[in-house]
């Protein structure tokens, strides 16, 4: 038996609870992992609270991230005792995920625990930090340089936003942070933001084209925020979009794209090939100050994850929540 958060939907309604589960109930896969840490991401909040239809079958163990030790493997890629990391691949949505003391998954979904990080540190980064790195890599591929001007980061106090700020500032960019929590200004400046702006200026309907300001944007919000960010991006600039906290709609026009030549990069962190994942973590190992992880992350136990998921959906969580599944 092992402990896990189980999400169920039946005649009793939609509910999430910490349960004791038999190992025989684990789904199919060629690698079984003793999970050490998982995390709470936006998708996990949706899965646990039922505020979004992300869970595709029931019962489901949420948790789109985990790190731990291989205890059994029929794959030549991994053996018992190997430390591994998983981000995405639909776990916690269509396949049991990491908010559990045991997980069984496909070997193709795993990468070796990145060098330079403990399991806890890798999960302090998690999907949020790894997605932020993919956003930054897209801007680097675009050719963006610090001398090109300011970079806007929306949803700045969240996990992706927090990491985007610290990564971009470490690379020498001038970062402007947009947030609905102006009380977090000191935290955001400590991460490397030079200016904090209220999200209200971006989250309402705006003009198809606005005054050019941003050389680039990292957006985890979507909807009007993404539309306004595009409308304010400089000619030949780039926007990396990776989230939909405000909404998955995109109420914009083609004007920023055909009149200013901006590029919109869609960042999909879920099914990225192993080689690109490893490359992202190699950059993260060079750019992330381990002390900064303490600023960005907060450890909780499995029992508390459900109540924190509610707070996450209410927008009351700063940075990253690491879940110690064995406490």
């Amino acid at each position: 038996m092992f402990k896990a958060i189980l999400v169920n939907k039946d005649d009793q309604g939609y509910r999430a609870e910490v349960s004791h589960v038999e190992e025989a109930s684990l789904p199919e896969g060629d690698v079984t992992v003793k999970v050490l840490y998982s995390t709470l991401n936006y998708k996990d909040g949706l899965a646990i609270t039922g505020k979004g239809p992300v869970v595709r079958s029931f019962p489901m163990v949420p948790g789109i991230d985990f790190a731990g030790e291989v205890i059994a493997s029929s794959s030549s890629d991994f053996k018992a005792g190997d430390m591994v990391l998983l981000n995405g691949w639909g776990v916690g949505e269509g396949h049991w995920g990491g908010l559990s003391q045991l997980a069984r998954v496909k070997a193709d979904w795993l990468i070796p625990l990145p060098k330079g990080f403990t399991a806890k540190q890798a999960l302090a980064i998690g999907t949020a930090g790894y997605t932020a790195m993919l956003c930054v890599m897209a801007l680097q591929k675009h050719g963006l340089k610090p001398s090109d001007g300011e970079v806007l980061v929306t949803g700045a106090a969240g996990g992706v936003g927090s990491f985007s700020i610290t990564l971009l500032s470490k690379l020498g960019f001038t970062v402007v942070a947009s947030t609905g929590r102006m009380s977090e200004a000191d935290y955001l400046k400590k991460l490397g933001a030079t200016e904090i702006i209220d999200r209200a200026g971006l989250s309402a309907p705006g003009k198809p084209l606005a005054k050019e300001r941003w050389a680039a944007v990292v957006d985890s919000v979507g909807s009007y925020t993404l539309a306004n960010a595009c409308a304010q991006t400089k000619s030949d600039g780039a926007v990396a979009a990776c989230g939909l906290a405000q909404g998955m709609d995109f109420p914009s026009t083609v004007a920023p794209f055909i009149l200013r030549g901006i590029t919109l990069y869609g960042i999909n962190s879920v099914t990225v090939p192993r080689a690109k994942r490893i490359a992202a973590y190699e950059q993260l190992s060079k750019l992330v100050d381990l002390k900064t992880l303490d600023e960005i992350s907060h450890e909780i136990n499995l029992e508390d994850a459900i109540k924190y998921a509610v707070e996450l959906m209410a927008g009351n969580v700063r940075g990253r929540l690491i879940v110690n599944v064995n406490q």
Side-chain angles (χ1 to χ4, degrees):
M1 301 287 284
F2 62 93
K3 285 198 303 182
I5 293 178
L6 272 185
V7 176
N8 275 289
K9 184 180 182 182
D10 51 28
D11 293 340
Q12 300 177 49
Y14 192 103
R15 65 193 185 280
E17 53 196 356
V18 177
S19 304
H20 286 85
V21 185
E22 293 186 6
E23 186 172 345
S25 300
L26 286 169
E28 292 184 0
D30 42 16
V31 182
T32 304
V33 180
K34 178 185 178 182
V35 179
L36 299 178
Y37 293 96
S38 186
T39 57
L40 272 181
N41 297 278
Y42 188 76
K43 274 188 180 178
D44 303 319
L46 291 173
I48 290 171
T49 63
K51 290 192 174 183
V54 298
V55 176
R56 299 195 292 273
S57 63
F58 297 91
M60 178 58 60
V61 175
I64 66 172
D65 288 329
F66 68 75
E69 181 182 351
V70 174
I71 58 174
S73 173
S74 60
S75 167
S76 60
D77 291 340
F78 300 101
K79 64 183 186 301
D82 287 347
M83 297 298 293
V84 293
L85 174 67
L86 184 145
N87 303 118
W89 291 110
V91 300
E93 301 174 75
H95 188 99
W96 283 15
L99 287 168
S100 169
Q101 293 175 322
L102 286 180
R104 183 174 292 143
V105 297
K106 294 181 179 180
D108 289 346
W109 298 349
L110 297 167
I111 65 171
L113 185 71
K115 293 179 181 179
F117 295 121
T118 64
K120 182 177 178 180
Q121 290 166 341
L123 267 292
I125 294 170
T127 287
Y130 150 69
T131 301
M133 190 70 249
L134 292 177
C135 290
V136 173
M137 288 166 69
L139 300 182
Q140 290 174 321
K141 185 177 180 180
H142 190 79
L144 187 72
K145 305 181 298 297
S147 59
D148 292 331
E150 297 173 314
V151 179
L152 171 69
V153 174
T154 67
V160 174
S162 295
F163 272 102
S164 296
I165 291 168
T166 193
L167 293 172
L168 288 163
S169 63
K170 195 71 177 287
L171 289 166
F173 290 95
T174 301
V175 183
V176 177
S178 167
T179 182
R181 291 177 275 169
M182 297 301 287
S183 59
E184 299 286 12
D186 289 343
Y187 162 73
L188 296 172
K189 287 182 178 178
K190 195 169 186 179
L191 294 181
T194 57
E195 182 182 348
I196 317 300
I197 62 174
D198 195 309
R199 71 179 178 198
L202 291 166
S203 59
K207 298 178 180 179
L209 281 178
K211 184 178 179 180
E212 297 179 53
R213 178 170 181 182
W214 318 117
V217 179
V218 174
D219 176 69
S220 60
V221 179
S223 192
Y224 287 112
T225 299
L226 176 57
N228 287 320
C230 289
Q232 296 174 12
T233 298
K234 293 179 178 181
S235 294
D236 299 317
V239 177
C242 64
L244 42 73
Q246 185 179 5
M248 65 186 302
D249 58 323
F250 183 44
S252 184
T253 73
V254 297
F257 309 102
I258 64 174
L259 297 180
R260 290 183 180 163
I262 77 162
T263 300
L264 178 59
Y265 291 97
I267 306 301
N268 167 30
S269 64
V270 177
T271 56
V272 174
R274 183 182 287 172
K276 189 171 182 180
R277 290 170 184 263
I278 292 173
Y281 275 98
E282 284 177 352
Q283 277 217 62
L284 283 163
S285 69
K286 298 172 184 176
L287 294 174
V288 173
D289 183 341
L290 297 183
K291 291 182 180 179
T292 301
L293 292 181
D294 293 333
E295 292 286 336
I296 293 175
S297 62
H298 172 62
E299 181 178 330
I300 62 174
N301 60 40
L302 190 64
E303 302 285 343
D304 287 337
I306 294 173
K307 71 177 183 181
Y308 272 99
V310 175
E311 292 298 308
L312 178 65
M313 297 312 298
N316 297 329
V317 172
R318 168 207 283 183
R320 301 279 294 142
L321 288 172
I322 310 169
V323 183
N324 185 334
V325 299
N326 298 297
Q327 285 189 354

